[in-house]
Amino acid sequence: MKLDKTQELLKRDQAVVSPSYPRAAPFAMERGSGAEVWDVDGNRFIDFAAGIAVCTTGHSHPKVVAAIQDQAERFIHISSDYYHPVWVEISERLAGIAPFSEPAKVFLGNSGTEAVEAGIKLARVHSGRPLFIGFQGGFHGRTLGSLAFTSSKSVQRRGFGPPSIGVTHVPYPNAYRQVLQPTSDDYGETVVNYIEDHILKTVVPPEDCAAILVEPIQGEGGYIVPPPGFFPALRALCDRHGILLIVDEVQSGIGRTGKWWAIEHSNVEPDIVCFAKGVASGVPMGGIIARASVMDWPEGSHGNTYGGNPLACRAALATLDLVEDQFMVNARRMGEYAMDALEEIQSRHPAIGEIRGKGLMIGVELVDGDGAKRPAHDLRERLIREAFDRGLLLLGCGESSVRLAPALSIEEELLDEGLRIMEESISTVST
Ligand SMILES: Cc1ncc(COP(=O)(O)O)c(C=O)c1O
C-alpha cells in the first residue's frame, strides 16, 4: 500500500499536534462515503470504526450535509443567551425518545465528557449529596470531573490526580472475567450485592451517594454486555437508597444497539442519560436527558456558549430522522448477521475467546488460544495493523478486544468484505 502523502502529513502532524492523542493506525483521511473511506494517497478502506462510533448515518450522508448547508446559510451561531427554533425542536425530539416514562428535559453541550460533567453536576445539586459510585474499566471522558470516573487505562489517569471528586469504583459485571465471589447465579446481581453489602456499608454511606454512573454496555473497557440481572438489581438498589441512576449512553446510544438506548434492552428506567457521539453524525454535540423532576437546577447554575449550536441541532435532527426511518432496524439486522458470521469465524480460530454485543456494537476478545483465556494484547495490536494493511479500519477496546462499530447504515456486502478481511488478518497474525 502506497502511503507517501500520509507519511508526509504524519511528519507535519508530529511537529505541531499534541502528542497526547492515542492513534490507532496511520490513516490520513481525504474523504468518506457511507461506511467507506479514502486516505490522502487514494487507498480505500472499509470503516468499522466510524470515528469512534460517531458517524451513525455513514460519512457525509447527503441529508445531513444538506441540513448543515441550509443552516449555515441562515445563521451559524447565536449563543445560549437567546432562543431559536431548531434548539427547541431537537430538545423535543430527544425528550420524546427518553428511556423513561416521566416527562424529560434536555441540556445540550458539545461532547461526551461535557455530557458526563452535566450529569455529575446535576446529580450533586439535585440530591445535595457529594459522592458517586463508578465502574472499573469505565470510560466517561477526560476532563477532570469525568476523569474521576474513567478507569479503562491507567495512562488516562497517570499524573492527573488526585481525582477531583469522590468516586468509588466497583467491578463491572463482566461474566467472562469475574473478579468477585458469586453471591447469585447472575454475575450482575453479584456485583450489585457487593455494592449493597460492602461498598455502601464501608466506603460510601448511601445518604452521601448522589448517583451511580454506568455504561449500559461498557465501551472503551471492551464492549462488555452485562448479564440480564444487573440493571434491574441496580435500579432496585438505587430506589432503596434514593441514589440517582445515570447511564452513560455516549457510545451505546442513538440506535447503535438496535434500540434508541442500550438501557432499553433491560427495561430499566434511568434518571439521567448522557449522550453524544452518534447524535449528530459527527458534528460535535453532547448532552443529558433527565427526568423533569430531577432537572431542577436554577437559572445560571450550568450553561455554555455553544449549547444548542444550530449546525449541530440541524445535523442531529437529520440524524434522528434517518436512524428512526431506516438505520436502527438496519443496526439490529446487520448486528445479528455480523454476530452469526463472527461465531462461525470463532469456530475456526481459537484466538477468539468471546464475541459479545448488541446491534452494531460488537466486541471480539482475543486470547492466547490454549483455553486459559489470557488476554492476547499483542495479538490484538498486530490484528489492527494487519487489517489496516489490507484495507480495514478496526479499533481496539479493553485489553485485548477489537470492536465493530461501523455506520448504522452499513450494508451486507461491505460488512461481508470487512469480516473477510478481519478473518484473513486473524489467520495471518495468529500463525
Ligand atoms: C461511554 C463514553 N462516555 C464518554 C466519552 C467521552 O466522550 P468525548 O470524547 O466526546 O468527550 C466516551 C468517549 O469515547 C465514551 O465512550
Side-chain angles (χ1 to χ4, degrees):
M1 182 184 296
K2 199 165 82 54
L3 290 174
D4 301 346
K5 289 186 181 160
T6 298
Q7 293 305 348
E8 195 53 37
L9 191 77
L10 262 53
K11 252 190 246 149
R12 287 170 52 203
D13 175 286
Q14 207 179 10
V16 291
V17 174
S18 163
S20 59
Y21 289 104
R23 312 286 196 166
F27 171 70
M29 185 152 171
E30 168 73 25
R31 70 191 165 89
S33 170
E36 288 170 285
V37 290
W38 286 263
D39 73 6
V40 291
D41 286 292
N43 300 304
R44 166 191 174 264
F45 297 81
I46 294 170
D47 184 6
F48 275 6
I52 326 185
V54 166
C55 303
T56 326
T57 56
H59 291 280
S60 296
H61 191 287
K63 288 192 174 159
V64 177
V65 173
I68 297 168
Q69 282 172 341
D70 179 64
Q71 184 59 44
E73 281 168 17
R74 291 161 196 264
F75 65 98
I76 293 176
H77 177 72
I78 180 62
S79 93
S80 55
D81 286 327
Y82 303 104
Y83 303 84
H84 63 83
V86 287
W87 184 356
V88 177
E89 205 181 321
I90 189 64
S91 302
E92 287 169 346
R93 285 290 294 276
L94 289 164
I97 58 168
F100 44 77
S101 41
E102 232 187 272
K105 286 196 171 171
V106 179
F107 175 89
L108 291 181
N110 311 284
S111 64
T113 197
E114 279 182 80
V116 171
E117 297 289 341
I120 300 168
K121 285 181 71 179
L122 179 63
R124 256 197 183 167
V125 76
H126 173 77
S127 67
R129 300 176 177 189
L131 302 178
F132 293 88
I133 292 171
F135 289 83
Q136 289 161 10
F139 188 90
H140 301 281
R142 296 172 186 268
T143 52
L144 284 174
S146 64
L147 185 62
F149 289 88
T150 289
S151 60
S152 74
K153 289 196 187 96
S154 59
V155 67
Q156 295 153 353
R157 296 172 72 96
R158 190 173 300 127
F160 296 115
S164 63
I165 48 177
V167 177
T168 298
H169 291 83
V170 298
Y172 194 79
N174 180 353
Y176 185 65
R177 295 193 180 282
Q178 303 188 9
V179 296
L180 295 173
Q181 288 292 342
T183 52
S184 157
D185 291 344
D186 182 297
Y187 187 62
E189 287 176 2
T190 292
V191 170
V192 176
N193 292 341
Y194 173 73
I195 298 173
E196 180 77 77
D197 297 339
H198 297 275
I199 299 301
L200 296 183
K201 286 191 180 150
T202 56
V203 198
V204 187
E207 55 281 3
D208 281 353
C209 186
I212 297 180
L213 172 64
V214 60
E215 293 164 272
I217 294 177
Q218 198 173 64
E220 299 303 304
Y223 274 32
I224 297 159
V225 182
F230 176 61
F231 275 106
L234 192 66
R235 177 75 263 183
L237 173 139
C238 286
D239 290 344
R240 274 196 301 280
H241 299 288
I243 297 170
L244 293 165
L245 179 61
I246 310 177
V247 290
D248 182 344
E249 294 262 10
V250 166
Q251 191 148 176
S252 56
I254 315 293
R256 174 149 298 281
T257 67
K259 291 184 186 277
W260 280 120
W261 310 106
I263 190 68
E264 291 177 277
H265 293 281
S266 65
N267 289 322
V268 157
E269 298 195 354
D271 301 299
I272 301 174
V273 180
C274 304
F275 64 91
K277 289 195 186 283
V279 67
S281 291
V283 181
M285 176 185 266
I288 55 171
I289 309 173
R291 296 175 190 254
S293 60
V294 171
M295 197 178 276
D296 56 359
W297 43 16
E299 182 170 347
S301 60
H302 196 51
N304 50 33
T305 300
Y306 295 112
N309 172 267
L311 293 182
C313 290
R314 287 294 298 276
L317 283 166
T319 301
L320 295 192
D321 283 346
L322 288 162
V323 171
E324 186 165 271
D325 294 347
Q326 313 166 38
F327 297 151
M328 192 150 48
V329 175
N330 192 58
R332 207 173 304 144
R333 219 164 43 84
M334 288 298 102
E336 280 165 16
Y337 180 83
M339 288 288 277
D340 287 349
L342 283 165
E343 272 158 23
E344 249 189 81
I345 294 174
Q346 183 182 27
S347 69
R348 296 187 284 270
H349 297 274
I352 299 181
E354 193 183 43
I355 293 159
R356 56 202 173 220
K358 290 203 186 293
L360 285 172
M361 184 167 189
I362 300 174
V364 177
E365 180 156 342
L366 299 177
V367 292
D368 291 346
D370 58 4
K373 295 207 301 197
R374 272 186 309 276
H377 173 80
D378 293 347
L379 186 69
R380 188 271 303 275
E381 298 302 296
R382 292 204 304 278
L383 167 61
I384 291 173
R385 179 62 207 214
E386 183 68 28
F388 170 80
D389 289 340
R390 292 169 180 264
L392 174 68
L393 296 187
L394 268 184
L395 288 178
C397 58
E399 195 181 346
S400 68
S401 300
V402 289
R403 60 184 121 176
L404 273 68
L408 308 189
S409 56
I410 195 165
E411 287 168 5
E412 201 173 300
E413 214 182 325
L414 273 186
L415 198 54
D416 274 337
E417 195 183 336
L419 288 168
R420 200 168 54 245
I421 296 176
M422 199 169 143
E423 177 164 21
E424 286 163 7
S425 305
I426 294 173
S427 298
T428 303
V429 297
S430 52
T431 50

Coordinates of all heavy atoms in Angstrom, one line a residue, residues 52 110-114 116 139-142 215 217 219-220 248-252 276-277 403, ligand 1:
I52 N -14.9 6.5 16.0 CA -15.2 6.0 17.4 C -16.8 6.0 17.6 O -17.3 6.7 18.4 CB -14.5 6.8 18.5 CG1 -13.1 7.3 18.1 CG2 -14.5 5.9 19.8 CD1 -12.3 7.9 19.3
N110 N -21.3 19.9 23.9 CA -20.6 19.7 22.7 C -19.8 18.3 22.6 O -19.2 18.0 21.6 CB -19.6 20.8 22.4 CG -20.2 22.1 22.6 OD1 -20.9 22.6 21.7 ND2 -19.9 22.8 23.7
S111 N -19.8 17.6 23.7 CA -19.0 16.4 23.6 C -19.5 15.4 24.7 O -20.3 15.8 25.6 CB -17.6 16.7 23.9 OG -17.5 17.2 25.2
G112 N -18.9 14.2 24.7 CA -19.3 13.2 25.7 C -18.9 13.6 27.1 O -19.6 13.5 28.0
T113 N -17.7 14.1 27.2 CA -17.2 14.5 28.5 C -18.1 15.6 29.1 O -18.4 15.6 30.3 CB -15.7 14.8 28.5 OG1 -15.2 14.8 29.9 CG2 -15.4 16.2 27.9
E114 N -18.5 16.5 28.3 CA -19.4 17.6 28.8 C -20.7 17.0 29.2 O -21.4 17.6 30.1 CB -19.6 18.6 27.7 CG -18.5 19.6 27.5 CD -18.9 20.7 26.5 OE1 -19.6 21.6 26.7 OE2 -18.4 20.5 25.3
V116 N -21.2 14.1 30.5 CA -21.0 13.5 31.8 C -20.8 14.5 32.9 O -21.4 14.4 34.0 CB -19.7 12.5 31.7 CG1 -19.4 12.0 33.1 CG2 -20.0 11.3 30.8
F139 N -15.2 4.2 30.8 CA -14.7 5.4 30.2 C -15.8 6.4 30.1 O -16.8 6.2 29.5 CB -14.1 5.1 28.8 CG -13.3 6.3 28.2 CD1 -12.0 6.5 28.5 CD2 -14.0 7.3 27.5 CE1 -11.3 7.6 28.0 CE2 -13.3 8.4 27.0 CZ -12.0 8.5 27.3
H140 N -15.5 7.6 30.6 CA -16.5 8.7 30.6 C -16.0 10.0 30.2 O -16.8 11.0 30.2 CB -17.1 8.8 32.0 CG -17.7 7.5 32.5 ND1 -19.0 7.1 32.1 CD2 -17.2 6.5 33.3 CE1 -19.3 5.9 32.7 NE2 -18.2 5.5 33.5
G141 N -14.8 10.1 29.8 CA -14.2 11.3 29.3 C -12.9 11.7 30.0 O -12.5 11.0 30.9
R142 N -12.4 12.8 29.6 CA -11.0 13.2 30.1 C -10.9 14.5 30.8 O -9.8 15.0 31.1 CB -10.1 13.1 28.9 CG -9.9 11.7 28.3 CD -9.1 11.9 27.0 NE -9.0 10.6 26.3 CZ -8.0 9.8 26.4 NH1 -7.0 10.0 27.3 NH2 -7.9 8.7 25.6
E215 N -22.1 2.6 32.2 CA -22.3 2.4 30.8 C -23.2 1.1 30.7 O -22.9 0.1 31.2 CB -21.0 2.2 30.1 CG -20.1 3.4 30.0 CD -18.7 3.0 29.6 OE1 -17.9 2.6 30.5 OE2 -18.4 3.0 28.4
I217 N -23.6 -0.7 28.1 CA -22.6 -1.7 27.6 C -21.3 -1.0 27.7 O -21.1 0.1 27.2 CB -22.9 -2.0 26.1 CG1 -24.2 -2.8 26.0 CG2 -21.8 -2.9 25.5 CD1 -24.6 -3.1 24.5
G219 N -18.0 0.4 26.9 CA -17.4 0.7 25.6 C -15.9 0.5 25.5 O -15.4 -0.6 25.2
E220 N -15.2 1.6 25.9 CA -13.7 1.6 25.8 C -13.2 0.4 26.6 O -12.1 -0.1 26.3 CB -13.1 2.9 26.3 CG -13.6 4.1 25.5 CD -13.2 4.0 24.0 OE1 -12.0 3.8 23.7 OE2 -14.1 4.2 23.2
D248 N -24.5 6.3 31.0 CA -23.6 6.9 30.0 C -23.8 6.2 28.7 O -23.3 5.1 28.4 CB -22.2 6.9 30.4 CG -21.3 7.6 29.5 OD1 -21.7 7.9 28.3 OD2 -20.1 7.9 29.8
E249 N -24.7 6.8 27.8 CA -25.0 6.2 26.5 C -24.2 6.9 25.4 O -24.6 6.9 24.3 CB -26.5 6.3 26.3 CG -27.4 5.5 27.2 CD -27.8 4.2 26.6 OE1 -27.3 3.8 25.6 OE2 -28.7 3.6 27.3
V250 N -23.1 7.6 25.8 CA -22.4 8.3 24.8 C -22.0 7.4 23.6 O -22.1 7.8 22.5 CB -21.1 9.0 25.5 CG1 -20.1 9.5 24.4 CG2 -21.6 10.1 26.4
Q251 N -21.5 6.2 23.9 CA -21.1 5.3 22.8 C -22.3 4.4 22.4 O -22.4 4.0 21.2 CB -19.9 4.5 23.2 CG -19.3 3.7 22.1 CD -17.8 3.6 22.2 OE1 -17.2 2.9 21.4 NE2 -17.1 4.1 23.2
S252 N -23.1 4.0 23.3 CA -24.1 2.9 23.0 C -25.5 3.5 22.5 O -26.3 2.7 22.1 CB -24.3 2.1 24.3 OG -24.8 3.0 25.4
A276 N -23.9 11.6 23.3 CA -23.0 12.5 22.4 C -22.8 11.7 21.1 O -23.7 11.3 20.5 CB -21.7 12.8 23.2
K277 N -21.5 11.5 20.8 CA -21.1 10.8 19.6 C -22.1 10.7 18.5 O -22.1 11.6 17.6 CB -20.7 9.4 20.0 CG -19.4 9.3 20.8 CD -18.8 7.9 20.9 CE -17.6 7.7 21.8 NZ -16.4 8.2 21.3
R403 N -13.3 -3.8 18.3 CA -14.7 -3.5 18.2 C -15.2 -3.4 16.8 O -14.4 -2.9 15.9 CB -15.0 -2.3 19.0 CG -14.3 -1.1 18.6 CD -14.6 0.1 19.5 NE -13.4 0.7 20.1 CZ -13.3 1.8 20.8 NH1 -14.4 2.4 21.1 NH2 -12.2 2.2 21.3
Ligands
LIG1 C1 -19.1 6.0 27.2 C2 -18.4 7.2 26.9 N1 -18.6 8.3 27.7 C3 -17.9 9.5 27.4 C4 -17.0 9.6 26.4 C5 -16.3 10.9 26.2 O1 -16.6 11.4 25.0 P1 -15.8 12.6 24.4 O2 -14.5 12.0 23.8 O3 -16.7 13.2 23.3 O4 -15.5 13.6 25.4 C6 -16.7 8.5 25.6 C7 -15.7 8.5 24.5 O5 -15.3 7.5 24.0 C8 -17.4 7.3 25.9 O6 -17.3 6.2 25.1

